[in-house]
């Protein structure tokens, strides 16, 4: 009898107790493992469901209207007034102008934005004066380089604006509100529709349907294919009657309106 008044078990009894304890411990270990296994299965199922829901949410959120960017099997329908071979050009200015200013640009291109903000008013002024007609080639290559759909969807929205007779104003608004190059804000149709509200009379049910349905997506793809086939190399690229016009200086800033006018005067002999 020990000092606490308890009976010390025999060696065999100790062995039996030890075996029972080991068995109980093993049962507890297996039960805990099974509980963890079930928890992982349930947790994994929840994560999978949440991932699917998030994916669906992203798709729906980006579509903003249920439209599709898939052009397979869809005919290429140019917007009204589109010109040039394959009707890949959106013209601006007088049809009988003596010269053509060709502009290759991408709505996500930050250098195009610099040119538009600095030289856009001068270009439009000269076009209105009949010095030249502007022919816009709306490329969309930056989506493939940066990811997203902003270039393509903005180009489609611009074509929708052309259909509504508001291309020039919407073109100006898009560049005035251009997001950072790596920000695919133009990939959200809701954003493109909000910006249309800045152009008087543009945001109509017809325009909204055109944007949400990506009506001109096949045409946008055709314009990009034409851009790539010409091996332009980058945007902005500006030509006056086929001859290069300098619109960016060596630092990447837009040249001044006076410098641009001087090039036009020299090229046109005035």
């Amino acid at each position: 009898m020990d000092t606490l008044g308890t009976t010390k078990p025999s060696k065999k009894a100790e062995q039996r107790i030890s075996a029972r304890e080991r068995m109980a411990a093993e049962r507890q270990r297996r039960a805990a493992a099974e509980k963890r296994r079930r928890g992982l299965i349930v947790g994994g199922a929840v994560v999978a469901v949440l991932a699917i829901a998030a994916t669906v949410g992203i798709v729906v959120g980006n579509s903003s209207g249920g439209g599709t960017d898939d052009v397979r099997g869809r005919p290429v329908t140019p917007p009204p007034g589109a010109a040039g071979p394959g009707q890949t050009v959106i013209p601006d200015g007088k049809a009988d102008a003596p010269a053509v200013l060709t502009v290759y640009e991408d709505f996500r291109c930050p250098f195009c934005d610099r040119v538009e903000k600095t030289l856009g008013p001068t270009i439009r002024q000269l076009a209105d004066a009949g010095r030249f007609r502007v022919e816009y080639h709306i490329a969309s290559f930056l989506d493939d380089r940066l990811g997203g759909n902003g270039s393509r969807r903005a180009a489609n929205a611009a074509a929708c604006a052309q259909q509504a007779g508001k291309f020039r104003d919407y073109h100006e608004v898009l560049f005035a509100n251009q997001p950072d190059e790596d920000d695919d804000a133009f990939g959200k149709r809701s954003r493109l529709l909000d910006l249309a509200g800045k152009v008087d009379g543009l945001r109509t049910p017809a325009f909204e349907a055109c944007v949400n349905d990506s009506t001109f997506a096949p045409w946008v793809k055709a314009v990009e294919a034409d851009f790539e086939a010409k091996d332009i190399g980058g945007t902005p690229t500006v030509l006056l009657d086929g001859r290069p016009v300098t619109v960016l200086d060596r630092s990447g800033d837009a040249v001044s309106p006076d410098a641009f006018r001087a090039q036009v005067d020299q090229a046109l002999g005035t």
Side-chain angles (χ1 to χ4, degrees), residues 106-114 117 142-143 146-147 149-151 154 171-188 191-192 195:
D106 186 310
F107 283 116
R108 289 181 74 177
C109 166
F111 296 102
C112 299
D113 180 50
R114 295 178 189 180
K117 286 176 178 172
L142 284 176
D143 282 351
L146 301 174
N149 297 298
S151 292
H171 174 275
E172 186 176 358
V173 165
L174 286 176
F175 277 118
N177 295 273
Q178 185 192 70
D180 291 339
E181 187 179 15
D182 57 354
D183 180 358
D184 194 36
F186 284 170
K188 297 178 181 179
R191 176 60 175 159
L192 297 171
L195 291 177

Coordinates of all heavy atoms in Angstrom, one line a residue, residues 106-114 117 142-143 146-147 149-151 154 171-188 191-192 195:
D106 N -4.7 52.3 -80.4 CA -5.3 51.3 -79.5 C -5.8 52.1 -78.3 O -5.1 52.9 -77.7 CB -4.3 50.2 -79.1 CG -4.9 49.1 -78.3 OD1 -5.7 49.3 -77.3 OD2 -4.6 47.9 -78.6
F107 N -7.1 51.8 -77.9 CA -7.6 52.6 -76.8 C -7.0 52.4 -75.5 O -7.1 53.2 -74.6 CB -9.1 52.4 -76.7 CG -10.0 53.1 -77.8 CD1 -10.7 52.4 -78.7 CD2 -10.0 54.5 -77.8 CE1 -11.4 53.0 -79.7 CE2 -10.7 55.2 -78.8 CZ -11.5 54.4 -79.7
R108 N -6.2 51.4 -75.4 CA -5.4 51.1 -74.1 C -4.0 51.7 -74.2 O -3.2 51.6 -73.2 CB -5.4 49.6 -73.8 CG -6.7 49.1 -73.3 CD -6.6 47.6 -73.0 NE -5.9 47.3 -71.7 CZ -5.8 46.1 -71.2 NH1 -6.2 45.0 -71.8 NH2 -5.1 45.9 -70.1
C109 N -3.6 52.2 -75.3 CA -2.2 52.6 -75.6 C -2.0 54.0 -74.9 O -2.6 55.0 -75.3 CB -1.9 52.7 -77.1 SG -0.4 53.6 -77.5
P110 N -1.1 54.1 -73.9 CA -0.9 55.4 -73.2 C -0.2 56.4 -74.1 O -0.5 57.6 -74.0 CB 0.1 55.0 -72.1 CG 0.7 53.8 -72.5 CD -0.3 53.0 -73.3
F111 N 0.6 56.0 -75.1 CA 1.2 57.0 -76.0 C 0.1 57.5 -77.0 O 0.2 58.7 -77.4 CB 2.3 56.3 -76.8 CG 3.5 55.9 -75.9 CD1 3.6 54.6 -75.5 CD2 4.3 56.9 -75.4 CE1 4.7 54.3 -74.6 CE2 5.4 56.6 -74.5 CZ 5.5 55.2 -74.1
C112 N -0.8 56.7 -77.4 CA -2.0 57.2 -78.2 C -2.7 58.3 -77.4 O -3.2 59.2 -78.0 CB -2.9 56.0 -78.6 SG -2.1 54.8 -79.6
D113 N -2.9 58.0 -76.1 CA -3.6 59.0 -75.2 C -2.8 60.3 -75.2 O -3.5 61.4 -75.3 CB -3.6 58.4 -73.8 CG -4.4 59.3 -72.9 OD1 -5.5 59.8 -73.2 OD2 -3.8 59.6 -71.8
R114 N -1.5 60.3 -75.2 CA -0.7 61.5 -75.2 C -1.0 62.3 -76.5 O -1.1 63.5 -76.5 CB 0.7 61.2 -75.0 CG 1.1 60.6 -73.6 CD 2.6 60.3 -73.5 NE 2.8 59.5 -72.3 CZ 4.0 59.1 -72.0 NH1 5.1 59.3 -72.7 NH2 4.2 58.4 -70.8
K117 N -4.6 63.7 -76.6 CA -4.8 64.9 -75.7 C -4.1 66.1 -76.2 O -4.5 67.3 -76.0 CB -4.4 64.5 -74.3 CG -5.4 63.6 -73.6 CD -5.0 63.2 -72.3 CE -6.1 62.3 -71.6 NZ -5.6 61.7 -70.3
L142 N -3.3 45.2 -77.6 CA -2.8 45.3 -76.2 C -3.6 44.3 -75.3 O -3.1 43.9 -74.3 CB -2.9 46.7 -75.7 CG -1.9 47.7 -76.2 CD1 -2.1 49.1 -75.7 CD2 -0.5 47.2 -75.8
D143 N -4.7 43.9 -75.7 CA -5.4 42.9 -74.9 C -4.6 41.6 -74.8 O -4.5 41.0 -73.7 CB -6.8 42.5 -75.5 CG -7.8 43.6 -75.2 OD1 -7.5 44.5 -74.4 OD2 -8.9 43.5 -75.8
L146 N -1.4 42.4 -72.6 CA -1.6 42.8 -71.2 C -2.7 42.0 -70.5 O -2.8 42.0 -69.3 CB -2.1 44.3 -71.1 CG -1.1 45.3 -71.7 CD1 -1.8 46.7 -71.7 CD2 0.2 45.3 -70.9
G147 N -3.5 41.2 -71.3 CA -4.6 40.5 -70.7 C -5.8 41.3 -70.7 O -5.8 42.6 -70.6
N149 N -10.0 42.5 -71.9 CA -10.8 42.7 -73.2 C -11.0 44.2 -73.4 O -11.8 44.5 -74.3 CB -12.2 42.1 -73.0 CG -12.1 40.6 -72.8 OD1 -11.7 39.9 -73.7 ND2 -12.5 40.1 -71.7
G150 N -10.3 45.0 -72.7 CA -10.5 46.5 -72.8 C -10.3 47.1 -74.2 O -11.2 47.9 -74.6
S151 N -9.3 46.7 -74.9 CA -9.1 47.2 -76.2 C -10.2 46.8 -77.2 O -10.7 47.6 -77.9 CB -7.7 46.8 -76.8 OG -6.7 47.3 -76.1
A154 N -13.6 48.4 -76.1 CA -13.7 49.8 -76.4 C -13.8 50.1 -77.9 O -14.5 51.0 -78.4 CB -12.4 50.5 -75.9
H171 N -14.8 58.9 -79.2 CA -13.4 58.7 -79.3 C -12.6 59.6 -78.4 O -11.7 59.2 -77.7 CB -13.0 59.0 -80.8 CG -11.5 58.9 -81.1 ND1 -10.7 60.0 -80.9 CD2 -10.8 57.9 -81.6 CE1 -9.5 59.6 -81.3 NE2 -9.5 58.4 -81.7
E172 N -13.0 60.9 -78.4 CA -12.4 61.9 -77.5 C -12.6 61.5 -76.0 O -11.7 61.6 -75.2 CB -12.9 63.3 -77.8 CG -12.2 64.4 -77.1 CD -12.7 65.8 -77.5 OE1 -13.5 65.9 -78.4 OE2 -12.2 66.7 -76.9
V173 N -13.8 61.1 -75.7 CA -14.2 60.8 -74.3 C -13.4 59.6 -73.8 O -12.9 59.5 -72.7 CB -15.7 60.6 -74.2 CG1 -16.0 59.9 -72.9 CG2 -16.4 61.9 -74.2
L174 N -13.3 58.6 -74.7 CA -12.5 57.4 -74.3 C -11.1 57.7 -73.9 O -10.6 57.2 -72.9 CB -12.6 56.3 -75.4 CG -13.9 55.6 -75.6 CD1 -13.8 54.6 -76.8 CD2 -14.3 54.8 -74.4
F175 N -10.4 58.5 -74.7 CA -9.1 58.8 -74.4 C -9.0 59.8 -73.2 O -8.1 59.7 -72.4 CB -8.4 59.4 -75.6 CG -7.8 58.4 -76.6 CD1 -8.3 58.3 -77.9 CD2 -6.9 57.5 -76.1 CE1 -7.8 57.3 -78.7 CE2 -6.4 56.5 -77.0 CZ -6.8 56.4 -78.3
A176 N -9.9 60.6 -73.1 CA -10.0 61.6 -71.9 C -10.1 60.8 -70.6 O -9.7 61.3 -69.5 CB -11.1 62.6 -72.1
N177 N -10.7 59.6 -70.7 CA -10.9 58.8 -69.5 C -10.2 57.5 -69.5 O -10.6 56.5 -68.9 CB -12.4 58.5 -69.3 CG -13.2 59.8 -69.0 OD1 -13.3 60.2 -67.9 ND2 -13.7 60.4 -70.1
Q178 N -9.1 57.4 -70.2 CA -8.3 56.2 -70.4 C -7.7 55.8 -69.0 O -7.1 56.5 -68.3 CB -7.2 56.4 -71.4 CG -6.4 55.1 -71.7 CD -5.1 55.3 -72.4 OE1 -4.2 55.9 -71.9 NE2 -5.1 54.9 -73.7
P179 N -7.9 54.5 -68.7 CA -7.3 54.0 -67.4 C -5.8 53.7 -67.6 O -5.3 53.8 -68.7 CB -8.1 52.7 -67.2 CG -8.5 52.2 -68.5 CD -8.7 53.5 -69.4
D180 N -5.1 53.4 -66.6 CA -3.7 52.9 -66.7 C -3.7 51.8 -67.6 O -4.6 51.0 -67.8 CB -3.2 52.6 -65.3 CG -3.0 53.8 -64.4 OD1 -3.0 54.9 -64.9 OD2 -3.0 53.6 -63.2
E181 N -2.5 51.6 -68.3 CA -2.4 50.6 -69.3 C -2.7 49.2 -68.8 O -3.3 48.4 -69.6 CB -0.9 50.7 -69.9 CG -0.7 49.8 -71.1 CD 0.7 49.9 -71.6 OE1 1.6 50.4 -70.9 OE2 1.0 49.5 -72.7
D182 N -2.3 48.9 -67.6 CA -2.5 47.5 -67.1 C -3.8 47.4 -66.3 O -4.1 46.4 -65.7 CB -1.4 47.1 -66.2 CG -1.2 48.1 -65.0 OD1 -1.9 49.1 -65.0 OD2 -0.3 47.8 -64.1
D183 N -4.7 48.4 -66.4 CA -6.0 48.4 -65.8 C -7.0 48.2 -66.9 O -7.2 49.0 -67.8 CB -6.3 49.7 -65.1 CG -7.6 49.8 -64.4 OD1 -8.4 48.8 -64.6 OD2 -8.0 50.8 -63.8
D184 N -7.7 47.0 -66.8 CA -8.6 46.6 -67.9 C -10.0 47.2 -67.6 O -11.0 46.5 -67.8 CB -8.7 45.1 -68.0 CG -9.4 44.7 -69.3 OD1 -9.2 45.3 -70.3 OD2 -10.1 43.6 -69.3
A185 N -10.1 48.5 -67.2 CA -11.4 49.1 -66.9 C -12.3 49.1 -68.1 O -13.5 49.0 -68.0 CB -11.2 50.5 -66.4
F186 N -11.7 49.3 -69.3 CA -12.6 49.3 -70.6 C -13.1 47.9 -70.9 O -14.0 47.7 -71.7 CB -11.8 49.8 -71.7 CG -11.6 51.3 -71.8 CD1 -10.7 51.9 -72.7 CD2 -12.3 52.1 -70.9 CE1 -10.5 53.3 -72.7 CE2 -12.1 53.5 -70.9 CZ -11.2 54.1 -71.8
G187 N -12.6 46.9 -70.2 CA -13.2 45.5 -70.3 C -14.6 45.4 -69.7 O -15.3 44.4 -69.9
K188 N -15.0 46.4 -68.9 CA -16.3 46.4 -68.3 C -17.2 47.2 -69.1 O -17.1 48.4 -69.3 CB -16.2 47.0 -66.8 CG -15.3 46.2 -65.9 CD -15.3 46.8 -64.5 CE -14.3 46.0 -63.6 NZ -14.2 46.7 -62.3
R191 N -18.7 50.3 -67.7 CA -17.8 51.5 -67.8 C -17.9 52.2 -69.1 O -18.0 53.5 -69.2 CB -16.4 51.1 -67.5 CG -15.4 52.3 -67.6 CD -15.7 53.4 -66.6 NE -14.6 54.4 -66.6 CZ -14.8 55.7 -66.2 NH1 -16.0 56.0 -65.7 NH2 -13.9 56.5 -66.2
L192 N -18.0 51.5 -70.2 CA -18.1 52.0 -71.5 C -19.4 52.7 -71.7 O -19.5 53.8 -72.3 CB -17.9 50.9 -72.6 CG -16.5 50.3 -72.6 CD1 -16.6 49.1 -73.5 CD2 -15.5 51.3 -73.1
L195 N -19.4 56.1 -69.8 CA -18.7 57.1 -70.5 C -19.5 57.6 -71.7 O -19.4 58.8 -72.1 CB -17.3 56.6 -71.0 CG -16.3 56.3 -69.9 CD1 -15.0 55.7 -70.5 CD2 -16.0 57.6 -69.2

